[in-house]
Amino acid sequence: MRYVDQLPCAIQEEKHVTIPMEDGVKLSARIWRPTASDAEPVPAVLEYIPYRKNDLTSTRDAINHPYVAGHGYACVRVDLRGTGESEGVLLDEYLEQEQSDAEAVLAWMAEQPWCDGNTGMTGISWGAFAALQTAARRPPSLRAICIASFTDDRYADDMHYLGGAMLSDNLAEAGTMFAYATCPPDPAVVGERWREMWRERLDAARPWVLEWLRHQQRDDYWRHASLSEDYSALRCPVLASSGWADGYSNAVTRLLSNVDVPRKGLIGPWSHKLPHLGEPGPAIGYLQEVVRWWDHWLKGVDNGVMDGPMLKAWMQESVPPSTSYEERPGRWVGEPSWPSPNIGEAVFPLRDGALGMPDGSMEQEDRVRTVQSPLSVGQFAGKWASYNAPPDLPYDQREEDGGSLVFQTEPLPERIEILGAPVVVVEVAADAPVAQVNVRLSDVAPDGRSTRVTYGVLNLTHRDREEAPEALEPGRRYRVRVPLHGVAQAFPPGHRIRLSLSTSYWPLVWPAPGPALLSVYEKGSALTLPVRPDDVPEDKALRPFGEPEGCAPPAVTRLSEPEQAWTVSRDLVNYRSVLDIVKDRGLQRYEDNGIETGLRACEKYSWVGEDFGSVRGESAWEMRFGRPGWDVRVETRTVLTSDEDTFHVDATLDGYEGGHRVFSRTWNEQIPRENV
C-alpha cells in the first residue's frame, strides 16, 4: 500500500454530523469533502454500515474516504440506527427500517449545499448489501453504486443456508452482531445520554440466530431485500467485485448475467477484503478504479471506464495446500460478457470408480458406490468466508478424502483452465429422510497433496425447491444437481482432478439430524467444468491495474498483543473432537480521539465420535471501550446444539461499567428442525 499525501483537492473533515430521520431518530455521520465544496458543490458518496465509525472502522475509513474526497467527492460514512453514535436500536440485518433510513440519508445528502444533487453508494459486505438493496428502491439522487463482497440472494448465497444446509457461519455471524448491536456510544460524542442509549440497546437485544433459525426455508423473510427476486429493480450502473477465497464469489457473475444496466465485474484471489487491501495478493489499485467509476457516472467524465471486458478475473495457478497464502500466482483474464463466449463445457463422467476424461463418450455401467462419512470430514474445510486472519483456508484434503467417495482423473495430458461454476449431476439414494451431499473439487499434485479448488453443498430435501423441501423416500433414486462455487483455476499437466463426495462437512456445514448411507450411481452422473482456453488474445491487451493506494491512517498505539488461533484437537480416550478459533485484536488506543478498544472473539465447534446429537457450536465475544473515566465492556455468548428434531439455543448477554456488571440476560429457546 502506497500512502498518498498529495491529492487533487484540499479536504476538510467533520467527525460527527447528525442526520434526522422521519421518526425523530438521528443517525451519526462522519464526512470528508473538498474544502471548496462550500462554494462549488460536488457529488456525494455514502457508506452505510453498523461497525462504529468513531473507532473500530476508523483506520480503514481514513485510508479510503479521504482519498476519494481528495478527488472531488463528499464522502459520508454513516453508522446504522442503533450502532456507534447513531440513536435507536439495531434488531436484525437488512430490515425495511434500515433501507428506509438509507433513502432518507441519500435525500439529506442531495439537499446539502456542498452536494450537487448526485449521489452514489459504496461498501464491502454489509455496506455492499446496503448499497445494492437501496439501489433496488431507486432513490432519485442515486446515480451509481460500487460494491464488494455482497450477494443478491440472502437465503442461499449468504452465510445462512447454502444448498438448503445450514452453515455454521449462521451462528458465527449472529454471534458477531449480538456483540456489535449491544455496544455503547461514545460519551465524548453524545454526552451523558450514552447510558440511556446503551441501556436501550441492551434491553432490545436478542440473539439474531433465533430469527434465522425460524426461517429454515426460502420464504418472505429472505425474499425481502434479495435482488434475485427481481433483477429489473436495479436501474443504476454497478461496479461489483469479490474474491475467490471469499464466501461471496458467486454474486458478481450472477449480477453480470441478470441485470440490464451498465456493469463491470472484478474477481481477484482475495478473501473478505477490499481489493486494495486484498489478501491473498496481489492487491490492486482499487481506489483508482473507484474514482474513475465515480468520475464517469457522477460527474459525466468521458474517461473510457466502460471500455474493455465486462469481467476481469484472476486466473489462479496451482498451489500446494495451505491455510493461508501471501499471494496466489496467476494472471488477469478478461471476458467481454457473461456468460462468456470464450467458455465451453467439458463433461467428466463418473466411470468405474474414477473420473473419466471428456472424450465424448458417456458410456457408463450402472455401478453403485456407497459412502457414510464420519463427522470429522470437514474439520480441515476452513471458513465459509475467509478473512485470512487467523489462517482459515482449507488444508490438505487427503484426510478429508479418507471419509469420502473419491473419483479422480488420470494425470492430465495437458493444461486445463476453468472459469465459472462447476456443476455435478449425480444419481443418489439415501437410507434416511434427511441427508446431505457435499461435493469438493480438488487439484491433486503428482506427490499426492490435494488442494481444494471449490465446493458445493446440497441438503437433499431441497433437491427440487427451496421454498418447500420434501423428505427423502429411503432407498429411492433421485437425480440431483449440485452447483459448486465459481472459481478461476488452472490444472497443470501431470496433475489430477479429484471429485470427492461426503455426507458430512462439519463444522463448515451443520450436520443432518443423523447418519445417512448415501448410494451413488455412476450411470448418468458427471462433473461439468467451465473450460476456458489459456490463449485468449484479448488477455494480453488488458489495461494493468495501478499500485494499491490510499491515505495514511491515523496513529494507533497497541497496548496488548493480538492473538490468533485455529486449532483442531481430538481426544482418543473419549473421542471428543474440537475446532477452536480465536480472533483477538488486542487492546489498542486511537490517538486522534483517545478511545481504547479491545475485541476478542472465540468460536468452538465440538462433537463426540459419531454421535450426531453431540455437535455443538459456540460463539463468544468480549468488546471493551474506554478512556480515562470511562470503562465499559460487553460480553456475549451463544451456544447452539441440536437433536434429531430440535435446535437448542442458549445465550447470555452481560454489560459492565467500571468493572461492575450493570446488565445481564439469558435466553434458552428451542426451535423445531424443518428438514435441515
Side-chain angles (χ1 to χ4, degrees):
M1 169 71 70
R2 184 168 72 89
Y3 293 131
V4 177
D5 55 11
Q6 297 293 322
L7 296 166
C9 302
I11 64 171
Q12 63 186 48
E13 178 185 352
E14 299 167 86
K15 292 188 176 182
H16 177 60
V17 177
T18 58
I19 304 175
M21 300 293 103
E22 287 187 359
D23 61 358
V25 166
K26 294 183 177 67
L27 304 189
S28 179
R30 192 169 190 169
I31 301 175
W32 297 261
R33 60 185 177 90
T35 304
S37 61
D38 286 326
E40 302 172 6
V42 296
V45 177
L46 170 64
E47 183 180 24
Y48 179 63
I49 54 177
Y51 302 126
R52 302 180 60 90
K53 63 177 177 52
N54 212 34
D55 39 61
L56 297 183
T57 68
S58 61
T59 296
R60 189 209 64 177
D61 293 346
I63 292 172
N64 300 342
H65 294 304
Y67 183 93
V68 176
H71 286 83
Y73 297 89
C75 292
V76 182
R77 164 70 173 83
V78 175
D79 278 332
L80 267 61
R81 176 185 294 245
T83 66
E85 282 64 58
S86 291
E87 297 174 349
V89 294
L90 181 63
L91 300 175
D92 198 354
E93 59 182 13
Y94 319 133
L95 298 178
E96 170 67 25
Q97 181 70 67
E98 176 186 328
Q99 288 130 36
S100 177
D101 285 351
E103 290 183 282
V105 171
L106 289 170
W108 178 89
M109 290 163 54
E111 293 170 356
Q112 298 310 298
W114 39 258
C115 179
D116 67 5
N118 297 297
T119 66
M121 285 188 75
T122 190
I124 179 174
S125 197
W126 195 309
F129 277 71
L132 189 63
Q133 293 164 3
T134 304
R137 299 164 74 97
R138 305 185 189 177
S141 71
L142 188 64
R143 302 288 180 258
I145 60 175
C146 181
I147 55 178
S149 299
F150 66 95
T151 189
D152 55 351
D153 183 345
R154 293 183 52 219
Y155 175 75
D157 197 40
D158 199 358
M159 79 286 290
H160 301 295
Y161 294 96
L162 177 61
M166 188 177 74
L167 295 163
S168 63
D169 268 30
N170 196 59
L171 168 65
E173 178 63 14
T176 299
M177 295 314 302
F178 194 19
Y180 269 91
T182 52
C183 291
D186 184 355
V189 176
V190 303
E192 287 303 314
R193 294 187 306 127
W194 78 270
R195 284 191 185 89
E196 177 186 345
M197 292 171 66
W198 187 28
R199 181 69 192 214
E200 184 182 14
R201 295 174 187 183
L202 294 169
D203 285 339
R206 189 170 179 80
W208 293 9
V209 71
L210 292 170
E211 188 68 15
W212 298 348
L213 284 171
R214 291 192 176 98
H215 299 277
Q216 297 169 32
Q217 303 160 16
R218 184 185 294 275
D219 59 15
D220 288 343
Y221 175 83
W222 301 112
R223 292 188 186 100
H224 169 72
S226 287
L227 184 68
S228 58
E229 295 295 318
D230 179 14
Y231 285 108
S232 68
L234 184 68
R235 301 309 308 153
C236 72
V238 55
L239 173 61
S241 64
S242 190
W244 297 128
D246 197 350
Y248 295 110
S249 62
N250 302 311
V252 173
T253 51
R254 195 165 53 242
L255 203 65
L256 299 181
S257 298
N258 289 290
V259 299
D260 185 20
V261 298
R263 58 206 186 273
K264 288 282 189 177
L266 172 65
I267 311 177
W270 315 300
S271 60
H272 198 66
K273 306 278 188 180
L274 284 165
H276 61 301
L277 306 171
E279 297 174 332
I284 64 167
Y286 177 67
L287 292 182
Q288 296 97 301
E289 301 298 314
V290 170
V291 168
R292 292 182 72 237
W293 186 257
W294 296 139
D295 282 350
H296 183 73
W297 293 111
L298 301 188
K299 292 182 178 178
V301 177
D302 185 9
N303 57 10
V305 75
M306 295 305 296
D307 295 345
M310 177 182 288
L311 172 68
K312 289 184 181 179
W314 186 253
M315 179 61 67
Q316 301 177 130
E317 293 292 336
S318 175
V319 289
S322 177
T323 56
S324 69
Y325 301 95
E326 289 188 10
E327 289 218 354
R328 285 296 304 262
R331 74 185 194 283
W332 288 105
V333 299
E335 299 298 348
S337 59
W338 196 267
S340 170
N342 293 325
I343 296 172
E345 293 186 345
V347 179
F348 295 73
L350 275 56
R351 182 186 298 147
D352 297 329
L355 201 57
M357 293 299 290
D359 54 10
S361 171
M362 284 296 293
E363 292 185 7
Q364 296 165 284
E365 295 185 22
D366 199 21
R367 297 178 185 269
V368 58
R369 302 184 184 276
T370 60
V371 62
Q372 182 172 307
S373 304
L375 280 172
S376 58
V377 173
Q379 63 185 342
F380 300 126
K383 266 284 190 185
W384 167 78
S386 170
Y387 286 81
N388 214 43
D392 56 6
L393 294 172
Y395 192 48
D396 196 322
Q397 297 294 287
R398 284 178 288 186
E399 290 189 54
E400 309 278 56
D401 288 340
S404 307
L405 195 58
V406 173
F407 302 85
Q408 69 179 15
T409 65
E410 293 296 317
L412 298 176
E414 57 187 21
R415 178 184 178 92
I416 292 178
E417 291 187 1
I418 64 172
L419 174 56
V423 174
V424 170
V425 173
V426 63
E427 291 207 6
V428 297
D431 67 350
V434 181
Q436 301 171 0
V437 57
N438 302 279
V439 180
R440 306 189 310 281
L441 184 69
S442 299
D443 168 24
V444 183
D447 63 5
R449 287 186 290 179
S450 180
T451 303
R452 197 189 75 190
V453 170
T454 184
Y455 74 102
V457 175
L458 178 62
N459 173 353
L460 290 169
T461 69
H462 286 243
R463 61 196 176 273
D464 295 324
R465 54 189 178 274
E466 295 168 328
E467 295 81 0
E470 294 182 356
L472 299 166
E473 180 184 328
R476 179 182 172 184
R477 288 175 66 161
Y478 299 92
R479 184 175 176 83
V480 299
R481 180 179 183 274
V482 187
L484 280 60
H485 286 294
V487 72
Q489 179 69 42
F491 297 89
H495 285 222
R496 299 173 187 259
I497 298 173
R498 177 177 293 171
L499 182 69
S500 307
L501 310 180
S502 62
T503 57
S504 67
Y505 207 32
W506 165 250
L508 192 148
V509 177
W510 199 269
L517 180 70
L518 191 70
S519 298
V520 177
Y521 299 86
E522 291 187 357
K523 189 175 181 64
S525 299
L527 162 70
T528 300
L529 294 182
V531 174
R532 182 185 194 273
D534 61 6
D535 57 353
V536 176
E538 290 78 7
D539 291 347
K540 297 178 181 179
L542 291 178
R543 180 179 62 85
F545 292 108
E547 177 186 0
E549 288 184 352
C551 289
V556 177
T557 300
R558 184 163 297 287
L559 305 176
S560 69
E561 290 304 308
E563 179 187 357
Q564 298 179 2
W566 187 289
T567 306
V568 174
S569 62
R570 184 177 299 170
D571 186 333
L572 294 181
V573 174
N574 61 23
Y575 303 109
R576 183 171 186 262
S577 299
V578 181
L579 169 61
D580 264 312
I581 304 170
V582 176
K583 296 175 285 186
D584 189 334
R585 292 189 186 179
L587 193 63
Q588 52 191 13
R589 182 173 59 245
Y590 299 89
E591 297 298 348
D592 62 338
N593 58 22
I595 290 182
E596 295 180 1
T597 67
L599 184 158
R600 181 178 177 87
C602 299
E603 296 174 45
K604 180 177 290 189
Y605 304 95
S606 62
W607 65 99
V608 177
E610 296 308 304
D611 181 2
F612 279 65
S614 70
V615 297
R616 181 182 188 275
E618 178 180 339
S619 172
W621 280 71
E622 178 183 297
M623 301 185 76
R624 309 175 68 103
F625 303 90
R627 59 163 61 89
W630 181 55
D631 177 21
V632 292
R633 184 170 87 252
V634 171
E635 294 182 358
T636 65
R637 179 172 173 269
T638 310
V639 175
L640 178 62
T641 58
S642 63
D643 55 35
E644 187 172 344
D645 303 310
T646 309
F647 288 110
H648 304 268
V649 177
D650 299 289
T652 59
L653 167 62
D654 292 290
Y656 296 84
E657 182 183 354
H660 301 286
R661 186 163 60 186
V662 296
F663 183 92
S664 184
R665 187 176 175 187
T666 62
W667 291 262
N668 306 98
E669 300 196 22
Q670 292 77 45
I671 298 172
R673 296 180 78 145
E674 302 174 14
N675 288 318
V676 171

